[in-house]
Amino acid sequence: MVHAEASTFAEGLSKKQVYEQVLGQAQALFDGQRNWVCNLANASSLLYHAYHSLPSPSNAVNWAGFYVLDPKNPKQLILGPFHGQVACQTIAIGRGVCGTAVEKKTTQLVEDVERFPGHIACDGASKSEVVVPIFQDGRVVAIIDVDCAELSGFTVEDQVALEHVAELIAKSCDF
Amino acid sequence: MVHAEASTFAEGLSKKQVYEQVLGQAQALFDGQRNWVCNLANASSLLYHAYHSLPSPSNAVNWAGFYVLDPKNPKQLILGPFHGQVACQTIAIGRGVCGTAVEKKTTQLVEDVERFPGHIACDGASKSEVVVPIFQDGRVVAIIDVDCAELSGFTVEDQVALEHVAELIAKSCDF
């Protein structure tokens, strides 16, 4: 049985250790369960609490969650499970940081969202962002989206770790 | 366009005013969008932030979210969008506070979860709970579940307000 403590992260861990715990706990949480809503709901909780256990700027993460391809309109993303303040329901492929990650099929690591062409300001508090595509059979089915209220909230270390989380989600969930 | 400020609640509002804002914002957020995952993701954010704007015991809410009927197994609920620590993936109909709300088709207002027969201790921190069924065509399709880390965290005022939220969700979402 799942226990809430799975998303409790000890103080003083390194970012590497925290991401290792995220991956390990996510793997345990997904075991025997392929429902994407259920798994992404728990994954957004894990990620949000992970960042908040780390020092600045990670503890300034103000949104951690997912968008998935809209089953009713393949030209847009639709909001999935997340932790943070309410968010845009849909995002056109190619628009903003999320839409660009889908169109270009690559992670977008954005140190200052104000300088990103076509940035969608869902939340004026967000200053930096990382968006990682989740691939199944070479196609983007969803994205991980994490926003930070500080500039340069994410580094290549975050990118690489979130790409591992995306791979785990891709092989663990039916979208 | 949705703005994150929709889930910002001013300090000093009464519980009645906060629930009015939840209902108003939820209605605005659901407008033109019937995807249940998208809508419940935003609703869990609204509810969580609403409780945290209120004085004790409401600000001790440690989980606010949803379970839905498992499309793969109608004898159980499966985790939907939420805010809080990671949670049980599935709950058998009839088990615990959530399963009982579905089986009895009535709201469960529980002042002390330890005294509820068959309580599922997903999170040892949760002391009280309210679970409200969401009906479509007389059938429970989902539940709102809110946990509080204090005893007697919820009153009939919460029950009635959450039943209004459940009605709005029922008429606004395709499950």
Side-chain angles (χ1 to χ4, degrees):
Chain A
M1 188 165 127
V2 174
H3 277 279
E5 290 72 31
S7 49
T8 305
F9 293 83
E11 292 289 317
L13 297 180
S14 69
K15 192 184 270 190
K16 184 167 178 283
Q17 290 171 313
V18 164
Y19 275 122
E20 277 167 3
Q21 186 178 335
V22 166
L23 268 172
Q25 296 288 6
Q27 206 153 15
L29 283 163
F30 299 168
D31 188 46
Q33 182 53 259
R34 298 193 57 85
N35 182 293
W36 70 267
V37 181
C38 167
N39 287 350
L40 296 192
N42 270 333
S44 76
S45 170
L46 269 181
L47 286 171
Y48 190 84
H49 291 100
Y51 290 115
H52 282 255
S53 77
L54 286 167
S56 171
S58 300
N59 62 4
V61 160
N62 59 338
W63 205 92
F66 300 90
Y67 280 85
V68 299
L69 274 200
D70 186 346
K72 293 219 165 168
N73 179 353
K75 289 186 180 161
Q76 66 182 22
L77 296 166
I78 189 160
L79 182 63
F82 69 90
H83 274 59
Q85 288 201 287
V86 296
C88 302
Q89 293 104 321
T90 57
I91 297 172
I93 310 271
R95 273 209 65 207
V97 184
C98 293
T100 300
V102 179
E103 190 176 60
K104 297 201 173 166
K105 292 187 164 193
T106 52
T107 295
Q108 303 294 307
L109 186 62
V110 182
E111 298 204 358
D112 179 355
V113 292
E114 295 299 334
R115 302 178 70 172
F116 191 91
H119 167 60
I120 303 166
C122 238
D123 185 349
S126 298
K127 300 278 182 251
S128 55
E129 186 169 6
V130 57
V131 178
V132 177
I134 300 171
F135 296 96
Q136 281 184 337
D137 301 324
R139 184 173 153 265
V140 179
V141 292
I143 54 157
I144 306 174
D145 182 14
V146 191
D147 288 11
C148 183
E150 292 190 24
L151 291 168
S152 305
F154 309 98
T155 65
V156 173
E157 184 181 5
D158 297 283
Q159 168 172 351
V160 171
L162 288 172
E163 286 172 353
H164 287 310
V165 174
E167 284 165 27
L168 175 65
I169 289 168
K171 72 177 185 192
S172 307
C173 300
D174 296 326
F175 282 92
Chain B
M1 187 167 126
V2 172
H3 277 278
E5 290 71 30
S7 49
T8 305
F9 294 83
E11 293 288 318
L13 297 180
S14 69
K15 191 183 272 189
K16 184 166 177 287
Q17 290 171 312
V18 164
Y19 275 121
E20 278 167 2
Q21 186 178 333
V22 167
L23 267 172
Q25 297 287 7
Q27 206 152 15
L29 284 164
F30 299 168
D31 187 45
Q33 182 53 258
R34 298 192 58 84
N35 181 293
W36 70 267
V37 181
C38 169
N39 287 350
L40 297 191
N42 269 334
S44 75
S45 171
L46 271 179
L47 286 170
Y48 189 84
H49 292 100
Y51 290 114
H52 283 253
S53 76
L54 287 167
S56 172
S58 300
N59 61 5
V61 160
N62 58 338
W63 205 93
F66 300 89
Y67 280 85
V68 299
L69 274 200
D70 186 346
K72 293 222 164 167
N73 180 353
K75 289 186 180 162
Q76 66 182 20
L77 296 165
I78 189 160
L79 182 63
F82 68 89
H83 274 58
Q85 290 201 286
V86 296
C88 302
Q89 293 105 321
T90 59
I91 296 172
I93 310 273
R95 275 209 64 206
V97 183
C98 293
T100 300
V102 179
E103 189 176 62
K104 297 200 171 165
K105 291 186 165 196
T106 53
T107 294
Q108 303 294 307
L109 185 62
V110 182
E111 299 204 357
D112 179 356
V113 292
E114 295 298 336
R115 301 178 72 173
F116 190 91
H119 166 59
I120 302 167
C122 238
D123 187 348
S126 298
K127 301 278 181 250
S128 57
E129 186 169 6
V130 58
V131 178
V132 177
I134 299 171
F135 295 96
Q136 282 185 336
D137 301 323
R139 182 173 155 267
V140 180
V141 292
I143 55 158
I144 305 173
D145 180 15
V146 191
D147 289 11
C148 183
E150 290 190 24
L151 291 169
S152 305
F154 308 98
T155 66
V156 173
E157 185 180 5
D158 297 284
Q159 169 172 354
V160 171
L162 288 172
E163 286 171 354
H164 288 310
V165 175
E167 283 165 28
L168 175 64
I169 289 168
K171 73 177 182 190
S172 307
C173 301
D174 296 326
F175 283 92

